[in-house]
Amino acid sequence: MDKYKNLIGGKLIEPSSGEYFDNIDPADKSDIVGKFPKSNAKDVEAAIEAAKNAYAEWSDMPPPRRGELIYKVGELLMRDQKKLAEIIVHENGKPTPAAMGDIKSSADVAYFMAGEGRRMYGQTTYSSLPRRWALTKRYPVGVCGLITAWNAPMAIITWKLFPALICGNTVVLKPSEDTPLTAHYFGELVKEVGIPDGVVNIVYGSGPGTGEALVKNQDVKLVSFTGSSQVGVKISEECGKQNKTCSLEMGGKNGLIVMPDADLKTAAKAVAAGAFSTAGQRCAATSRVFIHEQVYEMFMELLLAEAKADSISCPIINKRQFDRILSYIEEGKKSGAKLAYGGNALAEGKYAKGYYIEPTIFTDVNHNSKLAQEEIFGPVLCVFKIKSLGEGIKMVNSVDYGLTASIFTKDVDSAVHAMDKLEAGCCYINGPTFGSEPHMPFGGLKKSGNSHREPGTQAVDVFSEWKTIYIDYSGIAQQSQYKMK
């Protein structure tokens, strides 16, 4: 069985503890993909030191040159797309087309961010004083700690890492312990294109053992995290104590409204895809659907048909999450919700070796129950009947999350009104609550984020600092607030 090592300063280094953890295939619990370092604070400190040592060279490199190297990584991602997708399927369990899309998204971010090396624009303007030039310029933040999730293992890494690099930062990456092999091969691509040693460092391990050490280290000037809201709040608190930048992309309890004039067949397919594809293991997954009473019965027939036709090709990532989802299903039954479809773990035939749960649909849900209010991160959908657009918008907004939301309607007034009033960072008209495109910002409101976005040009704002510069050629000591004698 292969043993993998941390990537620190361009070298593959064993964990200081000598301990490793198993990377398990969620589709076959007996299949150990590989053993990865169970890193501790000492390993994290070594990686941060390597990033600090590489910072001067990398930050001094002109952004267009940094962009050329990032572009080459994108080329290698596409060259190895099939191989990398197979790795994701093996350790993550998602279907091959979804894994291929993960790599394509990563390459697209590389190409986009490479171009930002030529668009690292500041601003110039007139000073209020004569013979003085006023301008702004972007500068890197320093060493950045990146903590990523398992559900889109390559895309989430690149959505953070490429913006960080194009701005001139060096990074220490702590990938999810459920998908470390994807990060390992990404590290190989970084080395292949010639990005200097120490610019990208990868340290494996758990959140408490590795991630916490990364967040608490005062030499890390920025932390970018994707994961649960509970962990994100703890990271935010620690970053607040140190007054360091913190970018959080967290959970969702996303809602979709179906109006009477909607294309019901298309809407039903969108809801099923949003709720059940990749077993609902996406922060942008459709967790709740609000159906107008005029089309409720007809839509439910279509939705149940879509759920029954689902091929159930994606396992739940691990036993902890598997048990958690089943506990929410049981909680839903106890709270009085009606189980309209599914709700069972699958343990026979082709499902016997993995963690599988069939698509699950609840109706008659208590809107204040855990089932309706908390992120489940599994193939569980809550269905509600509404009487008006206003009621639908109010119910979509009545949770602590605000990541994605959607409405299906042919009425332009209803669609635009919903876009204005839905409390979500990403909104869709006549589309499922999926993520965002690589050149567009993605992120949420309320407990779904903390006002930062990734990727798009907005990610450059996260990973850079503005500096205001005045150039005075008046020959006298001018002061903008008052006239000096």
Side-chain angles (χ1 to χ4, degrees):
M1 185 182 302
D2 290 334
K3 266 188 178 181
Y4 295 88
K5 301 177 182 179
N6 292 320
L7 177 63
I8 299 176
K11 298 178 181 179
L12 295 175
I13 298 177
E14 294 181 353
S16 58
S17 66
E19 297 181 23
Y20 291 80
F21 65 89
D22 293 339
N23 180 22
I24 299 172
D25 179 355
D28 183 354
K29 295 172 279 188
S30 65
D31 179 13
I32 299 177
V33 179
K35 289 185 174 292
F36 284 82
K38 189 180 289 186
S39 305
N40 57 29
K42 186 176 180 180
D43 303 304
V44 171
E45 289 170 7
I48 293 169
E49 191 64 26
K52 287 168 60 181
N53 292 337
Y55 178 74
E57 177 187 356
W58 183 248
S59 60
D60 283 345
M61 184 182 292
R65 171 61 181 146
R66 296 196 293 259
E68 290 171 9
L69 293 172
I70 291 171
Y71 190 92
K72 288 180 181 178
V73 179
E75 297 274 85
L76 297 188
L77 285 166
M78 292 308 299
R79 181 197 71 185
D80 297 344
Q81 184 182 23
K82 184 177 179 181
K83 172 186 175 182
L84 294 168
E86 289 172 351
I87 291 168
I88 291 174
V89 171
H90 193 189
E91 68 175 353
N92 172 283
K94 67 171 57 178
T96 298
M100 294 284 279
D102 194 318
I103 306 304
K104 180 62 166 62
S105 173
S106 302
D108 287 344
V109 174
Y111 300 146
F112 181 81
M113 284 300 162
E116 287 303 289
R118 299 264 177 197
R119 295 186 295 268
M120 199 68 65
Y121 300 136
Q123 297 173 315
T124 59
T125 186
Y126 288 93
S127 169
S128 60
L129 298 176
R131 301 178 68 80
R132 186 160 79 158
W133 186 15
L135 66 149
T136 61
K137 188 177 179 181
R138 292 182 184 271
Y139 288 87
V141 177
V143 176
C144 298
L146 312 181
I147 302 174
T148 60
W150 50 263
N151 56 316
M154 186 67 83
I156 295 175
I157 288 172
T158 57
W159 280 28
K160 299 177 185 297
L161 191 138
F162 290 145
L165 295 189
I166 197 63
C167 291
N169 304 289
T170 56
V171 305
V172 177
L173 166 65
K174 204 296 284 185
S176 168
E177 55 267 44
D178 288 304
T179 51
L181 189 57
T182 301
H184 169 80
Y185 277 99
F186 179 78
E188 289 197 346
L189 299 186
V190 167
K191 287 177 63 67
E192 184 176 342
V193 302
I195 289 177
D197 293 345
V199 171
V200 177
N201 306 275
I202 305 175
V203 183
Y204 305 95
S206 67
T210 308
E212 186 175 350
L214 185 60
V215 172
K216 288 187 173 181
N217 193 293
Q218 295 188 1
D219 287 326
V220 173
K221 303 304 179 185
L222 180 151
V223 174
S224 181
F225 167 79
T226 295
S228 72
S229 298
Q230 292 80 6
V231 175
V233 168
K234 293 179 180 178
I235 291 173
S236 178
E237 290 173 350
E238 178 60 35
C239 290
K241 292 176 184 177
Q242 296 186 35
N243 195 32
K244 69 170 66 172
T245 303
C246 176
S247 175
L248 305 174
E249 201 284 284
M250 301 183 288
K253 191 68 177 175
N254 313 294
L256 186 151
I257 299 171
V258 180
M259 295 301 290
D261 61 347
D263 181 331
L264 297 185
K265 288 184 178 180
T266 301
K269 288 183 180 294
V271 171
F276 306 133
S277 62
T278 63
Q281 297 173 114
R282 294 180 293 107
C283 56
T286 306
S287 299
R288 302 171 297 147
V289 59
F290 303 92
I291 310 164
H292 196 282
E293 61 183 3
Q294 292 180 20
V295 292
Y296 182 87
E297 299 299 334
M298 188 184 306
F299 184 83
M300 283 302 299
E301 289 182 10
L302 294 169
L303 178 60
L304 289 170
E306 291 291 335
K308 291 173 183 177
D310 189 275
S311 61
I312 315 178
S313 57
C314 185
I316 306 304
I317 189 64
N318 55 41
K319 188 178 188 305
R320 182 181 67 256
Q321 183 63 10
F322 177 79
D323 291 341
R324 181 175 180 272
I325 295 168
L326 291 177
S327 71
Y328 270 102
I329 292 173
E330 290 305 311
E331 176 69 26
K333 294 175 184 177
K334 293 177 182 177
S335 69
K338 178 183 177 182
L339 183 61
Y341 183 78
N344 299 308
L346 302 176
E348 297 181 357
K350 64 180 181 179
Y351 305 117
K353 293 184 178 181
Y355 300 109
Y356 290 92
I357 297 174
E358 61 185 339
T360 301
I361 300 174
F362 280 99
T363 60
D364 300 333
V365 180
N366 181 337
H367 188 63
N368 295 317
S369 67
K370 290 183 177 181
L371 191 69
Q373 291 290 321
E374 297 182 6
E375 183 182 44
I376 299 173
F377 221 72
V380 181
L381 176 68
C382 297
V383 179
F384 301 87
K385 185 187 294 186
I386 58 172
K387 296 181 178 181
S388 66
L389 173 61
E391 182 185 5
I393 293 172
K394 182 178 179 180
M395 291 186 74
V396 169
N397 293 343
S398 63
V399 293
D400 290 334
Y401 299 96
L403 187 55
T404 65
S406 178
I407 181 171
F408 272 77
T409 180
K410 295 176 182 177
D411 181 70
V412 66
D413 291 347
S414 296
V416 174
H417 177 70
M419 293 304 98
D420 284 342
K421 298 301 181 182
L422 288 170
E423 296 172 355
C426 293
C427 295
Y428 311 81
I429 299 171
N430 298 327
T433 61
F434 282 173
S436 186
E437 296 181 42
H439 61 290
M440 297 291 284
F442 180 76
L445 313 178
K446 300 187 279 190
K447 285 188 177 180
S448 292
N450 65 337
S451 299
H452 294 301
R453 296 291 185 268
E454 56 186 33
T457 57
Q458 290 76 10
V460 176
D461 287 330
V462 175
F463 289 99
S464 63
E465 295 278 12
W466 283 105
K467 183 179 290 187
T468 302
I469 302 168
Y470 294 102
I471 302 173
D472 196 304
Y473 53 101
S474 66
I476 59 175
Q478 301 190 90
Q479 217 286 349
S480 58
Q481 271 68 46
Y482 61 92
K483 185 178 291 186
M484 297 182 68
K485 295 182 180 179

